[in-house]
């Protein structure tokens, strides 16, 4: 046997700039050291393919035809990028085969098409079956989680991951629907319907149109569905992470603010909303910056009815609902308040006759003259005295935007809290299944602080994945002395260090925020100075106000502009105090609660900080949590969604996102128990301090 020989008729994959990978066949035996490989493409074109020890390795081998289309990638003889792509593609081209296993991982390709594979009869068909006996399906993963919870008495978590638009939220919803159906409550409490009703609400207040996804989740969520001793659903609990607040006051071209704003504007003429003072979303700054208030195929007024029905189903009272809508409307009015610059350029004013100021104050039940004053002034406290300072119109506009974001975020938290109250159970929860739907990796034309946070979170999630599935697995094999080869997985710790280590990106950002005259520019220069230590950092050649991070999934260029402002997120105490004094209980409550634990100082800093992970040795005695499933997804080939992607390489790139490492084996069920996911994925690494 000759390891470095390949023989005639051997079939290979060669890289191709157009098709990404092209199939070819070797037409002449090749021996080590020869400079070319004689190939023939499928259309019979001959090709001399240069090979060399350094630059041009021998091409990847193709799998025998009989294996192609396997429903588990780990069954392939050769598992590499072209093999994975080809196999997924072959399956995807068959009707309804959007799912493929890769060991314990379910890979889904977004079909962007309503498939008839999610009906109740399909749920029934998967219920009680073994994962391996059925076609790969999200229901099979859900069934496996349910079974392991019931049979093995172990709490479970399903992690849905993938880039924006991959179909994570849709998958999470199907998983929840599965649990609601197979774990329907034994009596008529319909708690499972309430659990499902949380989705439209969360989508209305937390989803928005981006250029990648008309229904993009702009927050992360982890829902734990609680089960009784008889494995019926008895309640649920939801945690949310890092709502993208900046969207409330700014949207890039062709993007929208949160759906709820448009839903409410579209329903403004209903009698019960007359006093909100709303008109078309086109008339409000905060809903019109993206230049297009419509989404094709979406009727905002109709969706609003669904949102209200869901609120009602959850048991949120009409008065509370109407308060929520008042808060939503007030934010739109706040954005339209005209801040007039004074001639000196150092100060500004707002007219007491500004109709939007009037609406804002009326809707929130707050004092108008106070608001008018504190929109344009701020208090400065020094050691010896307190005095009032004018704000320039720019400062006042920034402060107003910060206030708008703050109001929205408090309302969002309030709603989550109330949904949780409504889903709470009085009876004892025996076990749970958690579903984590985190925002996917993102790269846009212009990437800012939000993308930085999202991608940082994904970097950490990826690390969890790597370390649990690979490091622990390898350790287990070594300990058990099972013979196997140590695989070389991509460790993204260096990239995480770049972001969170001492003098890393976050550290420097926090430092710059403390410097009185700190600027985004200066921060960028400091970043460049520190760069040399990391292979994951680059300064773009053409810019000195942006930086590049080489993430596990992709290279992303971030614009520094706005990072300091967003990291500081200054909300002025005087404005908050006015809201706290609202004559409406709900509004006052919104701003009181958290202030007890962390008083909003003159600048309530909301920073993304890293908590150092506390590495715990896997301890068999304390495997208290989870066996778990992981579902990873890719996007479809571009022809399925022409307006979204035009780059034929996209599927390749996407599988790079999804397959940064490959599985040469299927991990045993046993070793999966070492995955303590809920604890680590309470995403403690993203703390707000
Ligand atoms: N299984 C599926 N079947 C049909 N369409 C899907 C499926 N998954 C996703 N989609 C489509 O893709 C869009 C984006 O999916 P979504 O779950 O919102 O992505 P993500 O949460 O990953 O950003 C959905 O609005 C839907 O139109
Ligand atoms: C119905 O379920 C709820 C929650 O599990 C429980 O508190 C209640 O006692 C049940 N009622 C009946 C009639 O079984
Ligand atoms: C987004 O989700 C909501 C709630 O499920 C749905 O009503 C709406 O049609 C979706 N929008 C798009 C653009 O898919
Ligand atoms: C603040 O602005 C007002 C109106 O422009 C001006 O009269 C006043 O002198 C300013 N105060 C300070 C401290 O600059
Ligand atoms: C599962 O979680 C519940 C809390 O929901 C807890 O009481 C129970 O002990 C956990 N079970 C295991 C096996 O860890
Ligand atoms: C950044 O680049 C611009 C031109 O691209 C230049 O005018 C400016 O001086 C540079 N700033 C620094 C701090 O290097
Ligand atoms: C690793 C790396 O990116 N190093 C760069 C750091 O910045 C200096 C000066 O801009 C470059 O010369 C290095 O190549
Ligand atoms: Mg989503």
């Amino acid at each position: 046997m000759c390891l470095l020989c390949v023989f005639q008729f051997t079939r290979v994959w060669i890289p191709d700039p157009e098709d990404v990978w092209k199939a070819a066949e070797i037409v002449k035996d090749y021996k080590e050291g020869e400079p070319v490989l004689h190939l023939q493409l499928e259309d019979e074109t001959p090709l001399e393919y240069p090979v060399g020890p350094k630059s041009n390795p021998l091409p990847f081998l193709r799998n025998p035809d009989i294996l192609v289309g396997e429903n588990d990638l780990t069954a392939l003889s050769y598992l590499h990028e072209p093999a994975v792509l080809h196999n997924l593609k072959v399956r995807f081209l068959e009707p309804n085969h959007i799912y493929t296993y890769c060991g314990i991982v379910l890979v889904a390709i977004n079909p962007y098409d309503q498939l008839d594979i999610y009906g109740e009869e399909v749920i029934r068909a998967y219920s009680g079956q073994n994962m391996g006996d059925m076609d790969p399906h999200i229901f099979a993963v859900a069934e496996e989680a349910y079974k392991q919870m019931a049979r093995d008495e172990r709490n479970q978590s399903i992690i849905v991951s993938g880039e924006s638009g991959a179909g994570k939220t849709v998958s999470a919803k199907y998983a929840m629907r599965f649990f609601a159906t197979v774990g329907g409550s034994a009596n008529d409490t319909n708690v499972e319907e309430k659990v499902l009703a949380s989705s439209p609400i969360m989508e209305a207040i937390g989803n928005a149109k981006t250029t990648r996804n008309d229904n993009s989740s702009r927050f992360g969520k982890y829902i734990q569905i609680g089960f009784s001793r008889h494995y019926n659903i008895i309640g649920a609990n939801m945690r949310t992470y890092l709502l993208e607040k900046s969207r409330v006051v700014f949207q890039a071209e062709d993007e929208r603010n949160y759906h709820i704003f448009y839903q409410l504007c579209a329903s403004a003429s209903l009698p019960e909303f007359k006093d909100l003072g709303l008109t078309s979303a086109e008339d409000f700054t905060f809903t019109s910056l993206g230049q297009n208030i419509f989404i094709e195929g979406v009727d905002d007024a109709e969706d609003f009815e669904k949102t209200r029905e869901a609120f009602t189903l959850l048991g949120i009272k009409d008065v509370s609902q109407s308060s929520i809508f008042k808060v939503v409307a007030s934010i739109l009015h706040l954005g339209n308040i005209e801040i007039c610059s004074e001639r000196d350029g150092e100060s500004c004013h707002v007219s007491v006759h500004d109709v939007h100021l009037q609406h804002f104050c009326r809707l929130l039940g707050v004092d108008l003259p106070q608001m008018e004053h504190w929109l344009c002034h701020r208090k400065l406290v020094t050691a010896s005295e307190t005095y009032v300072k004018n704000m320039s119109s720019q400062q006042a506009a920034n402060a107003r935007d910060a206030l708008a974001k703050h109001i929205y975020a408090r309302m969002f938290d309030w709603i989550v809290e109330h949904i949780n109250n409504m889903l709470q159970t009085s009876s004892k929860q025996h076990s749970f299944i958690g579903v984590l739907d985190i925002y996917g990796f993102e790269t846009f034309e212009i990437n800012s602080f939000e993308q930085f946070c999202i991608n940082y979170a994904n970097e950490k999630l990826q690390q969890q994945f790597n370390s649990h599935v690979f490091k622990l697995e390898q350790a287990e094999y070594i300990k058990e002395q099972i013979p196997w080869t140590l695989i070389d997985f991509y460790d993204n710790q260096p990239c995480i260090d770049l972001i969170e280590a001492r003098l890393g990106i976050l550290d420097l950002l926090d430092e710059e925020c403390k410097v009185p005259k700190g600027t985004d520019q200066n921060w960028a220069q400091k970043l460049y100075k520190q760069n040399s230590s990391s292979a994951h950092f680059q300064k773009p050649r053409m810019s000195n106000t942006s930086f590049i991070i080489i993430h596990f999934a992709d290279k992303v260029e971030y614009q520094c502009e706005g990072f300091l402002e967003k990291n500081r997120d200054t909300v002025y105490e005087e404005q908050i105090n006015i809201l706290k004094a609202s004559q409406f209980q709900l509004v006052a409550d919104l701003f009181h609660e958290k202030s007890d634990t962390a008083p909003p100082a003159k600048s309530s800093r909301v920073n993304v900080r890293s908590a150092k992970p506390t590495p715990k040795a896997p301890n068999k005695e304390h495997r208290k949590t989870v066996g778990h499933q992981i579902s990873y997804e890719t996007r479809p080939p571009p022809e399925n969604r022409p307006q979204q992607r035009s780059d034929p390489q996209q599927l390749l790139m996407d599988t790079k996102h999804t397959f940064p490492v490959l599985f040469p084996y299927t991990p045993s069920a046993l070793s999966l128990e070492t995955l303590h996911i809920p604890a680590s994925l309470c995403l403690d690494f993203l703390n707000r301090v």
Side-chain angles (χ1 to χ4, degrees):
M1 180 146 153
C2 162
L3 270 182
L4 276 168
C5 299
V6 273
F7 302 105
Q8 197 176 356
F9 307 127
T10 302
R11 300 181 319 150
V12 296
W13 290 109
I14 56 170
D16 183 81
E18 279 286 295
D19 298 342
V20 187
W21 296 100
K22 247 194 167 105
E25 191 178 272
I26 294 172
V27 290
K28 206 169 144 220
D29 286 354
Y30 168 86
K31 277 193 222 63
E32 185 173 8
E34 289 173 1
V36 293
L37 197 56
H38 297 273
L39 300 179
Q40 189 178 70
L41 300 178
E42 282 193 321
D43 61 5
E44 308 207 331
T45 321
L47 178 76
E48 297 204 340
Y49 184 81
V51 284
K54 282 199 198 98
S55 52
N56 273 326
L58 285 171
F60 290 120
L61 301 179
R62 293 185 66 177
N63 282 293
D65 280 340
I66 191 161
L67 288 179
V68 170
E70 276 287 339
N71 72 14
D72 189 336
L73 296 172
T74 57
L76 298 177
S77 306
Y78 307 114
L79 194 52
H80 40 58
E81 186 180 297
V84 167
L85 287 172
H86 184 64
N87 201 72
L88 292 177
K89 182 173 160 191
V90 166
R91 286 179 60 77
F92 188 74
L93 294 177
E94 289 171 38
N96 292 342
H97 282 60
I98 62 167
Y99 296 109
T100 306
Y101 292 125
C102 184
I104 51 156
V105 178
L106 178 74
V107 182
I109 298 186
N110 188 341
Y112 283 113
D113 195 6
Q114 291 308 314
L115 304 182
D116 196 18
I117 55 170
Y118 299 110
E120 186 154 341
E121 68 291 352
V122 183
I123 293 182
R124 298 280 169 216
Y126 274 90
S127 175
Q129 301 295 320
N130 285 321
M131 205 162 158
D133 297 344
M134 307 281 288
D135 269 344
H137 199 294
I138 181 70
F139 292 159
V141 171
E143 166 61 23
E144 192 66 16
Y146 188 73
K147 191 164 43 199
Q148 289 196 20
M149 171 188 68
R151 188 190 58 202
D152 306 338
E153 295 277 327
R154 290 211 163 84
N155 295 322
Q156 304 283 311
S157 282
I158 295 179
I159 299 172
V160 193
S161 166
E163 68 170 333
S164 182
K168 296 181 295 299
T169 302
V170 170
S171 300
K173 273 198 283 188
Y174 283 133
M176 288 184 16
R177 192 188 295 166
F178 182 91
F179 299 128
T181 306
V182 304
S185 46
N187 58 30
D188 287 334
T189 50
N190 281 346
V191 60
E192 66 278 2
E193 269 179 38
K194 286 192 185 174
V195 172
L196 295 184
S198 65
S199 290
I201 298 177
M202 295 314 292
E203 276 172 23
I205 62 173
N207 284 24
K209 179 190 181 209
T210 69
T211 52
R212 296 189 138 213
N213 180 354
D214 288 350
N215 225 352
S216 181
S217 329
R218 311 312 300 164
F219 66 106
K221 75 170 184 285
Y222 179 64
I223 295 193
Q224 270 189 0
I225 303 174
F227 292 86
S228 68
R229 260 185 311 124
H230 306 292
Y231 306 107
N232 293 125
I233 294 187
I234 52 167
N237 184 62
M238 170 168 50
R239 284 186 66 161
T240 58
Y241 309 99
L242 276 182
L243 175 73
E244 184 185 63
K245 287 192 294 180
S246 62
R247 183 168 297 272
V248 175
V249 300
F250 179 78
Q251 308 94 44
E253 195 176 335
D254 237 16
E255 302 209 343
R256 295 208 318 181
N257 205 326
Y258 291 101
H259 294 329
I260 188 74
F261 290 109
Y262 304 88
Q263 294 182 359
L264 196 55
C265 285
S267 315
S269 58
L270 294 178
E272 62 267 43
F273 296 133
K274 276 272 166 5
D275 72 328
L276 296 183
L278 292 180
T279 50
S280 160
E282 260 163 359
D283 301 333
F284 293 94
T285 312
F286 287 167
T287 39
S288 58
L289 294 167
Q291 317 255 324
N292 181 0
I293 63 162
F294 300 106
I295 303 178
E296 216 186 298
V298 172
D299 181 336
D300 287 312
E302 212 172 85
D303 281 354
F304 186 62
E305 283 315 307
K306 292 186 192 142
T307 307
R308 285 170 94 183
E309 277 164 27
F311 271 125
T312 305
L313 206 142
L314 267 165
I316 310 258
K317 289 198 217 73
D318 280 353
V319 284
S320 301
Q321 289 184 36
S322 115
S323 299
I324 290 169
F325 301 141
K326 279 184 186 167
V327 172
V328 172
S330 77
I331 293 171
L332 291 182
H333 289 297
L334 180 58
N336 272 23
I337 292 174
E338 199 184 345
I339 295 170
C340 314
S341 190
E342 298 290 359
R343 236 177 256 166
D344 61 4
E346 305 275 295
S347 52
C348 63
H349 75 271
V350 168
S351 162
V352 288
H353 302 295
D354 186 310
V355 56
H356 294 291
L357 176 65
Q358 290 172 351
H359 280 310
F360 176 83
C361 294
R362 184 177 50 78
L363 289 170
L364 293 186
V366 301
D367 189 72
L368 190 142
Q370 289 259 350
M371 200 67 215
E372 179 253 336
H373 180 74
W374 290 114
L375 273 172
C376 295
H377 297 84
R378 55 178 289 208
K379 242 182 218 161
L380 264 190
V381 183
T382 64
S384 52
E385 58 180 338
T386 300
Y387 57 99
V388 174
K389 196 173 172 295
N390 286 328
M391 286 201 272
S392 71
S393 60
Q394 188 56 51
Q395 287 169 333
N398 285 346
R400 177 202 56 195
D401 287 358
L403 181 64
K405 290 189 285 188
H406 186 71
I407 296 174
Y408 193 81
R410 293 300 298 131
M411 182 196 78
F412 185 89
D413 289 346
W414 186 93
I415 292 174
V416 171
E417 204 180 303
H418 278 71
I419 291 179
N420 279 335
N421 288 342
M422 296 302 167
L423 294 178
Q424 214 175 38
T425 166
S426 49
S427 45
K428 193 179 173 313
Q429 177 173 310
H430 176 73
S431 52
F432 68 79
I433 297 179
V435 181
L436 179 77
D437 172 17
I438 194 184
Y439 21 51
F441 186 86
E442 266 180 4
T443 150
F444 291 109
E445 201 100 324
I446 290 175
N447 301 292
S448 185
F449 186 67
E450 294 75 18
Q451 280 69 46
F452 175 77
C453 293
I454 287 174
N455 292 342
Y456 169 45
N458 273 274
E459 202 70 68
K460 297 287 279 195
L461 188 62
Q462 183 66 25
Q463 185 181 48
Q464 293 289 342
F465 181 80
N466 286 354
S467 87
H468 286 295
V469 179
F470 299 97
K471 287 187 191 164
L472 295 183
E473 186 69 6
Q474 292 190 352
E476 191 84 356
Y477 276 62
I478 292 163
K479 203 174 78 199
E480 309 274 328
Q481 301 190 315
I482 298 168
W484 76 309
T485 41
L486 208 66
I487 55 158
D488 193 18
F489 59 84
Y490 175 77
D491 184 0
N492 59 351
Q493 187 63 46
C495 185
I496 290 170
D497 284 344
L498 166 68
I499 297 172
E500 68 181 25
R502 227 184 71 74
L503 292 182
I505 295 177
L506 280 175
D507 214 17
L508 291 174
L509 180 61
D510 283 353
E511 279 305 309
E512 193 67 24
C513 284
K514 285 182 207 147
V515 178
K517 288 241 144 76
T519 66
D520 296 322
Q521 283 272 358
N522 292 344
W523 174 60
Q525 302 313 314
K526 286 174 193 167
L527 282 183
Y528 300 150
K529 248 186 248 156
Q530 295 290 336
N531 72 338
S532 50
S533 58
S534 175
H536 290 268
F537 184 92
Q538 282 175 1
K539 176 189 180 303
R541 220 174 299 149
M542 302 306 288
S543 163
N544 54 17
T545 53
S546 63
F547 62 96
I548 294 172
I549 297 183
I550 299 158
H551 288 287
F552 73 95
D554 207 354
K555 213 167 144 170
V556 182
E557 179 168 343
Y558 298 97
Q559 304 295 329
C560 298
E561 196 190 330
F563 264 70
L564 260 64
E565 183 75 37
K566 286 171 182 170
N567 190 44
R568 279 198 203 108
D569 204 19
T570 313
V571 184
Y572 291 103
E573 192 181 9
E574 298 75 41
Q575 297 180 355
I576 298 293
N577 284 340
I578 299 172
L579 297 174
K580 275 188 187 167
S582 165
Q583 65 188 88
F584 302 139
Q585 193 59 48
L586 187 144
V587 175
D589 285 351
L590 278 188
F591 302 97
H592 270 296
E593 281 166 61
K594 272 200 176 155
S595 56
D596 298 331
T597 45
K602 46 203 159 302
S603 87
S604 86
R605 263 163 60 86
V606 186
N607 281 356
V608 176
R609 280 312 280 128
S610 55
K612 279 282 168 295
T614 38
K616 281 199 199 87
N619 178 341
K620 283 208 170 171
E621 275 63 59
H622 287 87
R623 282 176 180 174
K624 55 180 176 296
T625 34
V626 212
H628 94 195
Q629 319 290 322
I630 303 163
S631 153
Y632 251 29
E633 316 195 32
T634 57
R635 294 169 63 87
E639 60 268 26
N640 289 291
R641 197 131 203 243
Q643 86 273 22
Q644 295 247 334
R645 291 295 171 84
S646 52
D647 179 359
Q649 299 231 7
Q650 198 55 54
L651 186 59
L652 167 70
M653 230 182 70
D654 291 342
T655 46
K656 276 195 182 139
H657 295 179
T658 17
F659 300 98
V661 270
L662 301 172
F663 298 71
Y665 58 88
T666 308
S668 63
L670 185 86
S671 52
L672 286 180
E673 291 154 19
T674 52
L675 305 180
H676 299 268
I677 291 298
S680 48
L681 283 183
C682 286
L683 303 190
D684 299 319
F685 52 84
L686 291 172
N687 279 345
R688 289 180 171 244
V689 292

